[in-house]
Amino acid sequence: MSFIYILLILNNNYLNGMILARVFNETLITEGEIKMKNRITKWIMGALLVLSVYSVHAVPVDVELILATDTSGSVDAVDFALRRDGIEAAFRSPTVINAIENGTIGSIAVTLWDFGTNVGVAVDWMQISNAAQANAFADAVAAAGRLGGGGDGQANMIREATIAITTNNYEGRGIIDITSEGVQSGEGCTYTSPDCQATRDAGAAFLAAGGSAINAIWMNDRNFFGLDQNDLVDAFEYGSLSVITGAGAFQVFAETNQDFIDAIDDKIIREIQNPPTGVPTPGSLLLMALGFVVFRLVRQK
C-alpha cells in the first residue's frame, strides 16, 4: 500500500502544478510535461490494477492477528505451557467466539508464532468465522510444539510479521499481539534500558507497510522487568517508548500466568471489537485511489 501512496502523492503534486500553469499561462504546459504526466498516470493505473487483482482474491476479515509469544531462554517450560494453555482456552471461550462472529465482517485470520532469537510459526494462518473453526485453531495450538529459544528478538519478529501480513491471503486490520517478559535482546538494545531503537524502527516499518497496530501483554520477570519500583525496566515505559504503536494500540500487564489467562480473552476481544475510528480499510483505500485516477483522467478531457 505504501508504494501506491507514493505514486499517488507524486502524481497529485505534478498535476496540481500543471493545473496552476493552465490557469496562469497556457504555454507553460509543454509537450514533454504532458508526456510525463501520461506516463505517471499509466504507472499508477498499472499499480492499481495489480492491487485490485490482489484485493479481489484476498479474503476479507476484520483482523489479521499475529499472536507472537516470547519463547526465549528466560521462559521456562512451566511458564510456556501455562501461556499456551491460556491461548488455547481463549479460542474455546464463548465470549471470544461471540466477539468474532459479531464483528463487522464476522471473521478473523489468526496465526500463532513463537519467537526468541528467530521466529517459528507454531500454527499457520487460519480463518475463524464460527465456533467450529475457533475450536480447530485451539486444537492446533494445543498440538503445537515449542519453537524459538535464545534471546528476546522482538524487532526481528516485527519485521517478519510485516512480511507475513502484507503477503498472506487476507485483507483486514493487521495487528501484532506480543506476549513477552522482557526487553529486546541485541541490535543495540539492553535488558537494563527501556529505550530500544531497533523495535521502534521495526514498528514504524510495520505501520508504513499497512499494518494497523502493535499491542502487548507484558509478563513479570523477577526484578528485571515489570511494574515494581525495584525492577530494572518498567514494562509500560518500555512498551510506550519502544514497542506499542499504531492507532488504538494498547498494552496490559500480567503479574502471573493466571493473570495472563484472564487477560488474553479481554485483549483478543478488544482487538476484534474496537477498530480505531477514521482509519480506512485496504478496500476503501483501493476505491479512493481508483476514484482519484478516474477524476484526474476526466479533468484531462
Side-chain angles (χ1 to χ4, degrees):
M1 294 301 297
S2 299
F3 180 65
I4 302 300
Y5 273 135
I6 292 169
L7 289 178
L8 287 173
I9 291 169
L10 288 173
N11 194 49
N12 185 38
N13 290 338
Y14 188 81
L15 288 176
N16 283 341
M18 297 283 286
I19 291 170
L20 288 174
R22 181 180 292 112
V23 170
F24 292 105
N25 188 343
E26 186 71 24
T27 60
L28 289 178
I29 307 176
T30 66
E31 181 179 354
E33 288 173 324
I34 293 174
K35 288 181 179 180
M36 177 61 75
K37 175 172 65 66
N38 291 338
R39 192 176 301 120
I40 292 173
T41 300
K42 288 178 181 178
W43 291 342
I44 293 176
M45 291 297 287
L48 287 173
L49 178 61
V50 172
L51 181 60
S52 65
V53 170
Y54 166 79
S55 183
V56 167
H57 293 285
V59 178
V61 293
D62 289 304
V63 173
E64 301 167 61
L65 180 62
I66 294 179
L67 298 171
T69 304
D70 175 4
T71 53
S72 60
S74 64
V75 179
D76 63 31
V78 173
D79 288 348
F80 168 79
L82 287 171
R83 293 169 197 175
R84 186 63 63 83
D85 289 347
I87 294 172
E88 176 193 351
F91 284 90
R92 299 194 195 281
S93 165
T95 307
V96 171
I97 294 170
N98 182 68
I100 294 171
E101 293 177 333
N102 288 282
T104 303
I105 295 174
S107 183
I108 69 170
V110 60
T111 180
L112 174 64
W113 288 10
D114 292 342
F115 72 91
T117 302
N118 299 309
V119 175
V121 178
V123 179
D124 208 350
W125 288 103
M126 295 178 66
Q127 185 177 3
I128 300 176
S129 306
N130 52 50
Q133 292 172 336
N135 279 283
F137 181 79
D139 291 341
V141 171
R146 176 172 179 164
L147 307 169
D152 191 339
Q154 295 169 27
N156 180 59
M157 181 276 295
I158 295 169
R159 290 191 288 266
E160 294 287 336
T162 302
I163 297 171
I165 282 182
T166 54
T167 58
N168 65 19
N169 195 39
Y170 299 98
E171 180 184 2
R173 290 181 289 114
I175 295 177
I176 304 173
D177 187 334
I178 297 176
T179 297
S180 182
E181 57 180 38
V183 175
Q184 153 78 25
S185 300
E187 298 191 46
C189 305
T190 173
Y191 71 94
T192 61
S193 172
D195 187 1
C196 179
Q197 188 64 46
T199 50
R200 278 198 299 277
D201 290 345
F206 174 72
L207 296 184
S212 294
I214 300 176
N215 304 323
I217 295 181
W218 302 119
M219 303 290 297
N220 186 66
D221 183 18
R222 296 160 291 175
N223 287 330
F224 295 106
F225 187 82
L227 297 182
D228 297 334
Q229 62 179 2
N230 294 325
D231 288 322
L232 288 176
V233 172
D234 182 280
F236 281 170
E237 181 183 5
Y238 170 65
S240 299
L241 180 62
S242 302
V243 180
I244 305 308
T245 188
F250 64 95
Q251 57 186 336
V252 297
F253 184 77
E255 181 74 25
T256 66
N257 286 310
Q258 183 58 52
D259 292 336
F260 171 79
I261 292 172
D262 295 338
I264 189 67
D265 285 36
D266 293 338
K267 190 167 186 291
I268 292 172
I269 290 169
R270 182 173 173 182
E271 287 164 338
I272 296 168
Q273 290 185 332
N274 297 326
T277 59
V279 177
T281 63
S284 64
L285 288 171
L286 175 62
L287 292 176
M288 289 163 57
L290 288 174
F292 173 86
V293 173
V294 170
F295 171 75
R296 288 302 187 188
L297 291 175
V298 170
R299 287 291 298 272
Q300 291 180 53
K301 296 181 178 179

